């Protein structure tokens, strides 16, 4: 078993790929445009002890603290099982790949196929 935990999972979501996945789910163009607008050119700055950092444009990430953030992340990772040949268990940002084998070399070879 290989255990995976995506650190800062909501920060890993690529907007372009997410829009493609939403389109594949059948969202119409007006809904896709709404999501593009929701995600496009969001700005981020950090304030510590009264000092504010420069503003940066976010190109990957779904908003945290929103209802949509976790749901968009689930849509983003939901097709991972189709990309692996072994048994995969998904729970939020945690994953477990279950690969049978008698030794580490067999398991490593199975995972690399």
């Amino acid at each position: 078993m290989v255990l995976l935990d995506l650190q800062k999972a909501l920060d890993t979501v690529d907007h372009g790929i997410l829009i493609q996945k939403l389109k594949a789910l059948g969202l119409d163009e007006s809904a896709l445009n709404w999501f593009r607008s929701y995600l496009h050119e969001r700005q981020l700055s950090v304030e510590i002890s009264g000092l504010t950092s420069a503003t940066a444009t976010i190109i990957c990430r779904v908003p945290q603290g929103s209802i949509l953030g976790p749901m968009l992340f689930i849509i983003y990772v939901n097709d991972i099982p189709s990309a692996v040949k072994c048994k995969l268990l998904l729970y939020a940002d945690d994953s477990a790949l279950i690969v049978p084998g008698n030794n580490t070399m067999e398991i490593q070879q199975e995972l690399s196929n």
Side-chain angles (χ1 to χ4, degrees):
M1 179 183 297
V2 177
L3 300 172
L4 306 172
D5 180 17
L6 291 176
Q7 294 184 358
K8 300 186 179 189
L10 297 179
D11 295 345
T12 66
V13 177
D14 179 278
H15 296 164
I17 294 170
L18 177 60
I19 295 297
Q20 290 174 359
K21 291 183 179 200
L22 292 169
K23 185 175 184 176
L25 287 173
L27 272 69
D28 66 17
E29 199 59 36
S30 65
L32 293 172
N33 286 336
W34 185 90
F35 279 105
R36 283 185 191 103
S37 173
Y38 178 69
L39 297 168
H40 185 67
E41 293 188 8
R42 292 175 89 62
Q43 301 291 307
L44 172 72
S45 65
V46 177
E47 182 179 339
I48 300 174
S49 300
L51 299 173
T52 304
S53 70
T55 302
T57 300
I58 300 170
I59 57 171
C60 285
R61 170 185 280 186
V62 292
Q64 297 184 23
S66 69
I67 294 172
L68 276 178
M71 185 178 358
L72 291 173
F73 176 76
I74 290 169
I75 290 169
Y76 189 72
V77 299
N78 198 43
D79 61 350
I80 290 176
S82 66
V84 297
K85 296 178 184 173
C86 60
K87 183 172 181 171
L88 175 68
L89 304 174
L90 294 172
Y91 181 77
D93 63 344
D94 296 319
S95 305
L97 299 166
I98 301 173
V99 183
N102 293 319
N103 59 56
T104 57
M105 290 301 291
E106 280 183 27
I107 294 169
Q108 184 175 1
Q109 187 169 349
E110 185 66 29
L111 285 172
S112 64
N113 288 338

